[in-house]
Amino acid sequence: MSFLTPALPYAYDALEPYIDSKTMEVHHDKHHEGYTGKLNKALEGSDLGGRSIEDLLKGLNDLPESVRTAVRNAGGGHFNHNLFWEILSPKGGGEPKGSLGEALKKDFGSFASFKDSFSQKGAGLFGSGWVWLVKDSASGLSIVTTANQDNPLSSGSTPVLGLDLWEHAYYLKYQNRRPEYIENFFNLINWEKAEENFRS
Ligand code: MN
C-alpha cells in the first residue's frame, strides 16, 4: 500500500491571477509528487505504509530512526501539500462565517487583526517553511511557523490553514515579494474547508 498525490481539485490556471498556472503545475506535479514518491520509497519494506499520514506525523518521535527523517521531510511535504490545495479555491477569499469566524474574533480581537498577525509571521519566517493557523485543545487558535516541511501535527496541534512559504510556491510570479504573495493568498482561502479542519 502506498500514498498517492491527490489530483488538484481545480485546473492549474484556476487560481490566476493570484497564483499562476505554471507555478501550480510544477508545484503539484513535480514538488508534491516528489515528496509522495520519497515517502513511499522510505516506507518500502516497512509495515508503516498502512497507517495514515496524519497518524505517522503525530507519532513522529515513536517511529524507527531509520525512517523518521524521511517521514518528517517527505511525509510532511506530502501531507502539507494535500492540505494546501484544499484550502485554496478560485471562489475563496472574504471572511469566515460560522464557528471559525467566531473563534478568530474571540482569539485575535478581529479578522483584520488575525490577518495582520498571520501576514507578519509569514513574511518574517527566515528560509523555507510554512505559516499556520492552528487549533489547540487547551489554548484555542494561534499562528505558528514551521521550518522546512515540519507540520503542527507533530507538536500536538491541528492545522486549520497553512500557507507554503517555500520559494517554489511563489518565485516565478512574485520573486522576492513574499508579502504580496501572502496578501493575495487571502483572496483564495477556502473558508468552508478551513471550518471543516477547525471542527475536526
Ligand atoms: Mn510547496
Side-chain angles (χ1 to χ4, degrees):
M1 185 167 167
S2 55
F3 292 98
L4 294 172
T5 303
L8 280 180
Y10 34 72
Y12 295 128
D13 64 358
L15 306 180
E16 297 261 13
Y18 307 118
I19 302 180
D20 60 287
S21 182
K22 190 69 191 172
T23 294
M24 290 301 292
E25 183 184 340
V26 175
H27 199 174
H28 177 269
D29 294 5
K30 304 296 181 193
H31 291 276
H32 190 176
E33 181 61 28
Y35 293 120
T36 307
K38 283 179 186 154
L39 173 64
N40 287 328
K41 190 150 182 51
L43 297 182
E44 261 172 21
S46 79
D47 58 354
L48 296 166
R51 288 169 62 180
S52 72
I53 189 61
E54 289 87 349
D55 191 40
L56 290 171
L57 291 170
K58 281 178 193 168
L60 206 52
N61 291 329
D62 302 322
L63 295 179
E65 219 169 302
S66 56
V67 299
R68 197 181 302 152
T69 301
V71 172
R72 179 176 180 178
N73 293 338
H78 172 72
F79 176 86
N80 292 347
H81 290 86
N82 289 355
L83 180 141
F84 186 47
W85 310 132
E86 289 203 334
I87 55 98
L88 299 173
S89 166
K91 294 177 186 154
E95 296 187 18
K97 299 176 179 70
S99 59
L100 178 56
E102 291 301 312
L104 281 173
K105 283 189 187 105
K106 178 174 154 286
D107 291 342
F108 295 94
S110 65
F111 178 77
S113 154
F114 153 71
K115 182 181 172 186
D116 199 43
S117 177
F118 185 95
S119 302
Q120 282 188 28
K121 285 209 171 151
L125 175 73
F126 182 74
S128 297
W130 292 72
V131 59
W132 305 92
L133 174 66
V134 299
K135 180 181 79 166
D136 287 291
S137 45
S139 52
L141 290 168
S142 59
I143 297 163
V144 299
T145 56
T146 56
N148 304 316
Q149 296 296 351
D150 288 353
N151 180 281
L153 290 171
S154 305
S155 42
S157 41
T158 303
V160 176
L161 272 186
L163 175 60
D164 191 339
L165 298 174
W166 285 56
E167 283 187 344
H168 69 225
Y170 65 87
Y171 201 82
L172 286 181
K173 183 176 174 74
Y174 295 97
Q175 294 88 47
N176 64 324
R177 305 187 308 278
R178 188 194 276 179
E180 193 183 324
Y181 162 67
I182 296 173
E183 175 68 31
N184 281 338
F185 166 68
F186 278 87
N187 294 314
L188 297 172
I189 298 175
N190 179 347
W191 286 113
E192 284 166 23
K193 183 63 198 176
E195 170 88 24
E196 251 178 61
N197 295 341
F198 175 66
R199 287 165 178 264
S200 72

